[in-house]
Amino acid sequence: MQKPTVRAFFDENTATWSYVIWSETDTQKRCAIIDSVLNFDLPSCTSSTRSADIIIDFIKEKQLAVEWILETHIHADHLTAAHYLKEQLGGKIAISKHILTIIATWVPIFQTQDDTSLDGSQFDHLFDNDEKFTVGDMQAQILHTPGHTPADTTYVIGNAVFVGDTIFLPDVGSGRCDFPGGSAEHSYDSSRRLFALPDDYRVYVGHDYPPEYRRGPQCMCTIGEQKQLNVRLHLGIGKEEFVQQRQREDTGKSVPQLLLPSIQANLRNGQFGQAVGGTQFVKLPVNKL
Ligand SMILES: [Fe+2]
């Protein structure tokens, strides 16, 4: 089994892990970037490319060629830098075909039909369920792993598994399932799809929220460790027990601070709405009294 080299980058503000993956045997040094971050300060509505520029510097230093810019899902807690990275480095932006469900859910809420394509054409490629592809000389495959959102995708690249928010490190558990179209039942089923992979495959998570006893964020464990140790989803936990616990935890949970700008921009690969007089805008829909 091919063992990709993985470099992880942690964004402190949003507790997000981004990854660059490549094969040491690929003469063309092709790589994939997974789940990048565009920095966004909410009170001042100021964006910056500080986190993405660290990745760009790394890729240039290593002389890697970007083949893919992959998204595990439409993030609700941070903005993606996919569009900026493509502008700077090239590569194809790709996400699950189930993104169409997310677009259909959120664009009417934001009323952003004028500047957000409804057919997914803003992405270079929409992956089918279980689609196979390559990253450089490595075999890769999609696993549709819904639950956190209906469009969550896991990327299996060689023996490395990029799960997004499908599952977190064993002492953290799993992602919330209370966004529109989310499902604790599907989340449990998705974990069992992951657990069908070999025990020694490496699981790379989309976020880490380390408990106090840990010295800081970590990004990786194995499938075997998840099966034995995940506090919410280990093999001894049945579906009903998980669903009840997940729903209890999600009840009344506050929405992520960056929910509205994140989803809105991420449906355009991290771009803001059409500029008016040189200024871009984020829409904030308000409930009717
Ligand atoms: Fe997420």
Side-chain angles (χ1 to χ4, degrees), residues 122-187:
Q122 60 273 54
F123 303 95
D124 297 307
H125 184 70
L126 296 182
F127 284 116
D128 207 345
N129 291 353
D130 303 328
E131 184 174 332
K132 291 183 165 65
F133 67 112
T134 55
V135 178
D137 63 2
M138 297 181 289
Q139 298 299 317
Q141 184 173 5
I142 300 307
L143 291 181
H144 180 43
T145 48
H148 172 59
T149 77
D152 278 55
T153 291
T154 291
Y155 296 100
V156 183
I157 303 172
N159 73 346
V161 187
F162 299 89
V163 297
D165 299 356
T166 304
I167 196 166
F168 292 137
L169 288 180
D171 56 2
V172 180
S174 67
R176 62 194 295 174
C177 295
D178 57 337
F179 296 131
S183 158
E185 286 88 353
H186 291 170
S187 180

Side-chain angles (χ1 to χ4, degrees), residues 73-77 148 165 179 207:
H73 61 297
I74 291 295
H75 313 282
D77 55 5
H148 172 59
D165 299 356
F179 296 131
H207 293 285

Side-chain angles (χ1 to χ4, degrees), residues 6-24:
V6 179
R7 173 69 152 81
F9 300 83
F10 191 67
D11 177 65
E12 299 272 352
N13 288 332
T14 61
T16 301
W17 284 109
S18 304
Y19 299 99
V20 175
I21 306 103
W22 71 99
S23 160
E24 300 289 354

Side-chain angles (χ1 to χ4, degrees), residues 96-278:
S96 158
K97 68 175 183 181
H98 297 283
I99 182 67
L100 297 179
T101 307
I102 310 294
I103 293 174
T105 301
W106 284 96
V107 165
I109 293 172
F110 293 126
Q111 290 293 304
T112 46
Q113 295 88 339
D114 288 351
D115 53 17
T116 304
S117 301
L118 301 176
D119 61 0
S121 57
Q122 60 273 54
F123 303 95
D124 297 307
H125 184 70
L126 296 182
F127 284 116
D128 207 345
N129 291 353
D130 303 328
E131 184 174 332
K132 291 183 165 65
F133 67 112
T134 55
V135 178
D137 63 2
M138 297 181 289
Q139 298 299 317
Q141 184 173 5
I142 300 307
L143 291 181
H144 180 43
T145 48
H148 172 59
T149 77
D152 278 55
T153 291
T154 291
Y155 296 100
V156 183
I157 303 172
N159 73 346
V161 187
F162 299 89
V163 297
D165 299 356
T166 304
I167 196 166
F168 292 137
L169 288 180
D171 56 2
V172 180
S174 67
R176 62 194 295 174
C177 295
D178 57 337
F179 296 131
S183 158
E185 286 88 353
H186 291 170
S187 180
Y188 185 87
D189 295 341
S190 292
S191 74
R192 270 45 194 169
R193 290 202 78 192
L194 295 176
F195 292 175
L197 293 166
D199 277 357
D200 63 348
Y201 273 31
R202 297 172 282 166
V203 176
Y204 291 91
V205 296
H207 293 285
D208 191 32
Y209 310 101
E212 271 181 26
Y213 63 81
R214 276 212 253 128
R215 286 194 173 174
Q218 295 170 7
C219 64
M220 196 272 284
C221 67
T222 64
I223 290 284
E225 287 167 338
Q226 290 284 14
K227 285 159 72 172
Q228 297 306 317
L229 301 172
N230 188 289
V231 289
R232 296 281 174 268
L233 284 161
H234 68 74
L235 286 180
I237 294 182
K239 188 169 183 174
E240 202 173 320
E241 185 184 351
F242 169 76
V243 169
Q244 282 177 6
Q245 171 118 28
R246 184 73 263 168
Q247 289 174 344
R248 246 195 330 269
E249 271 183 52
D250 288 345
T251 302
K253 204 169 191 169
S254 55
V255 303
Q257 273 201 329
L258 295 179
L259 176 88
L260 297 173
S262 293
I263 292 181
Q264 212 170 125
N266 291 342
L267 292 175
R268 311 183 196 99
N269 297 318
Q271 295 181 86
F272 298 103
Q274 260 162 12
V276 180

Side-chain angles (χ1 to χ4, degrees), residues 62-83:
K62 286 276 179 192
Q63 297 183 311
L64 298 171
V66 178
E67 185 176 18
W68 293 102
I69 300 170
L70 304 173
E71 299 288 319
T72 56
H73 61 297
I74 291 295
H75 313 282
D77 55 5
H78 70 275
L79 283 72
T80 175
H83 174 75

Side-chain angles (χ1 to χ4, degrees), residues 80-98:
T80 175
H83 174 75
Y84 174 69
L85 289 169
K86 183 181 171 181
E87 272 188 339
Q88 300 296 314
L89 300 170
K92 289 171 288 196
I93 301 175
I95 196 165
S96 158
K97 68 175 183 181
H98 297 283

